Amino acid sequence: MTSEVHHELRDGVALVTLDRPVANALAPSLRAELRDVLANVMADDAARAVVLRGAGNGFSSGVDISEYDGPLASPWISDLCTLIENAPKPVVACLHGAVLGAGFELALAAHARVASRQARLALPEVTLGLIPGGGATQRLPRIVGAQAALEFMLSGQIVAADDPRMARLCDRIVESDPLDAALDLARDLAGRGTWRRTCDFQRGFSDPERYRKAVGGIAAQLAAVEGPEHDVVKCVEAAQLLPFDRGLEFEGALFQDRLNSSEARARRHLYTAERRAAIFPEVARVPQPLPLNRIALLGDGALLAELAVALLDGGKHVDLIASSEGAPDAVLKRVAGIYEGAVARKRLDASERDARLARLARQDGAKEPPAVDLVMDSGQVAFSDDLSRSYAGAIWAVLGDGHRVASRSEHVAGPSRCLGLRLYRPAHSVRLAEIAVPDGAEPAAVSAVARMLMGLGRTVIRCSGAPGGVGDTMHAALCRAGLALAQAGVSPYEVDAAARDLGFSQGPFRMMDAEGLEPELERINRLASLKEAPPLPDGGVLQARVADGATGQAVGRGFYLYPETGGPQPDAAVSAWSDAQDTDADLSNISVQEALHAALVNAAARLVVDKVVQRASDIDVVMVKGLGFDSKLGGPLLQADLQGMLHLLRVMRELETLDPALWRPDALIEDMVKNGRGFFGRSV
């Protein structure tokens, strides 16, 4: 078996190197080998000190999160950290590249740290519903204090080694390879014969009152619902109050509690799902992507303005080609307004705003347009031969699903380079996009657009060219289910409350108000037609509201009333419509929440069977990042697996006659129940 930990002697210093593809993840085999190597080095009289480093591009990415789904193998990270900290010889951590999670905790346990200025540090455990499990909540506050330690651990974000908040963490920071400096420091410590264990640091406790205020202030800012963030705060508080060993035990107990929690399971599911979503077959096939630096936006409106901001933020040059005279000014005004808000909130300085706006230009058709790499087409601009010739060499991304791509590609000069693109709004801040890939699409075009969006920090979902994609299909299923239940006599407000209980931030009727009832009616019926399903029945509450002029939040009336002050309020007219329904439907054995969940799961099964998505986990990513499903629950498909598919199948059969397009069970659901499977393995 190939060794995952190497060691050699360099002038009295044992150089111990972690060497495991990929990113020196601290797998059980590496941990066991590291324990044995350290034991051998400590017994070697020729080794006076130890330098611990990582091979390749980084120190260590930490523990592979898949390990958290089963029993944790020995030695665990806390055991290695204790071994390092109590070593009879000085241990210096040599840090470069990624120093993440448990890898960071190993470095914390060392007696000194030397880092390259480019080293990237993070403890991302809270983003996975966990807390650090190797003693970081006890060691880091001793070095940098409560405020800096809590900010670092609660954000889960990557910071540079020279971040001012981490100023006390590293003994030396160098511009390039830190190895020589780490070897020198190790020899120096060995020569002096004294070094300090991290557990003996007291500088972070030097101002006890300030420490307590930092802990109390951050605790007060957290949401009332208990979560991993609260546990981190409790551990940092314990670091000041308890002896070090007791503090480690306290952290270990809370870590185990978090590890077994449903929230941690859900967040690990999403973490893995987002990374799987990035696996595009076209990206693998095209190692050298086409550069997309200059982009033309065809159309106008708020979405185009948000998209322009996202592209400018990513360093792109943007040209506006609007659908009507005066429209470019409206888009430019919206873009400027977004940036003014960012400057006012101190998220951007004025000089950077000006630099980004300088890359934005309007094209009025009076001159030959510049060559662009990508056209992002809202479909609002009337197509012409001149337009096709002007951008003949560009990739064409239609803002819509595969159906809109098919109609537009008839006119585009290179139809194989025409893709669909669904951007979630506001497009400059919501970090999710879908690419609809029609049959015969050029892999280089798909790869280029996918890589560009990923480079803009977006999670990108690959869809087939089928109508609706993921987001529109799932949104329509939720809304149509809500409308069917309303037709059966359930109050829309009860439906929205049930959707929130299911995990959504807003219910379907509130969502429809935000989008506008007329476009929602058109979208639901259009998707039904394209999927060969019946349209919404006449006489429904959605049609009634549109007929009454209550078309959504923009006009102050939809399913809710929107007064100038205060939040949305129920509308008595909607309640009266609901009370007037005369229905034979018997929903006494089914909760509204179960009915909504069953409709979503059934719609998702069809997306999987029809291969609209590459994998079922893509759907949960869209539901959480695009449609407001609670990340602590992981998505409706994960919840279906955890709760068991049999009950949902029974719900579908009970409701099938209410709307077969929604609740007639897909064969995949019946097959999963028959074989005891779920979307992600064995069903509970």
Side-chain angles (χ1 to χ4, degrees), residues 356-381:
R356 296 181 190 189
L357 289 173
R359 298 195 302 272
L360 178 63
R362 55 180 291 175
Q363 304 298 333
D364 56 13
K367 58 183 179 180
E368 188 70 20
V372 301
D373 305 309
L374 171 67
V375 176
M376 304 184 89
D377 177 8
S378 69
Q380 297 166 317
V381 177

Side-chain angles (χ1 to χ4, degrees), residues 285-368:
R285 289 168 59 188
V286 184
Q288 296 297 325
L290 300 171
L292 302 180
N293 297 318
R294 189 162 199 132
I295 297 160
L297 301 183
L298 289 182
D300 52 70
L303 173 59
L304 268 292
E306 294 161 6
L307 180 53
V309 170
L311 295 168
L312 295 171
D313 287 349
K316 309 298 182 184
H317 291 267
V318 178
D319 295 299
L320 298 176
I321 298 94
S323 59
S324 60
E325 187 174 351
D329 293 330
V331 174
L332 289 169
K333 185 177 179 180
R334 286 191 178 100
V335 171
I338 292 171
Y339 278 130
E340 287 299 330
V343 171
R345 292 189 297 274
K346 301 188 184 304
R347 295 180 179 175
L348 196 70
D349 61 43
S351 62
E352 183 58 31
R353 172 203 61 199
D354 295 342
R356 296 181 190 189
L357 289 173
R359 298 195 302 272
L360 178 63
R362 55 180 291 175
Q363 304 298 333
D364 56 13
K367 58 183 179 180
E368 188 70 20

Side-chain angles (χ1 to χ4, degrees), residues 100-235:
L100 310 179
F104 181 83
E105 294 193 275
L106 289 184
L108 266 183
H111 305 121
R113 287 153 291 279
V114 176
S116 72
R117 198 172 298 279
Q118 293 75 36
R120 296 171 291 118
L121 319 175
L123 283 169
E125 282 79 3
V126 292
T127 65
L128 301 174
L130 298 171
I131 69 170
T137 65
Q138 304 304 296
R139 293 187 177 96
L140 188 58
R142 284 172 157 78
I143 300 174
V144 302
Q147 186 73 33
L150 284 169
E151 288 178 0
F152 180 65
M153 288 187 281
L154 294 178
S155 73
Q157 295 178 348
I158 292 173
V159 305
D162 61 356
D163 187 289
R165 294 169 295 180
M166 298 288 111
R168 302 174 187 171
L169 179 67
C170 294
D171 298 78
R172 297 179 188 175
I173 294 180
V174 298
E175 294 297 331
S176 54
D177 187 346
L179 179 57
D180 288 342
L183 290 168
D184 288 343
L185 180 56
R187 294 188 188 102
D188 181 54
L189 293 175
R192 282 189 276 158
T194 60
W195 52 89
R196 187 163 50 167
R197 299 182 304 168
T198 305
C199 63
D200 296 327
F201 273 71
Q202 296 294 316
R203 189 171 180 181
F205 298 155
S206 60
D207 187 340
E209 183 60 27
R210 183 178 181 183
Y211 191 103
R212 286 192 292 271
K213 285 184 177 179
V215 171
I218 290 177
Q221 294 173 26
L222 296 177
V225 179
E226 288 287 321
E229 296 84 359
H230 289 83
D231 286 351
V232 169
V233 173
K234 292 174 186 176
C235 288

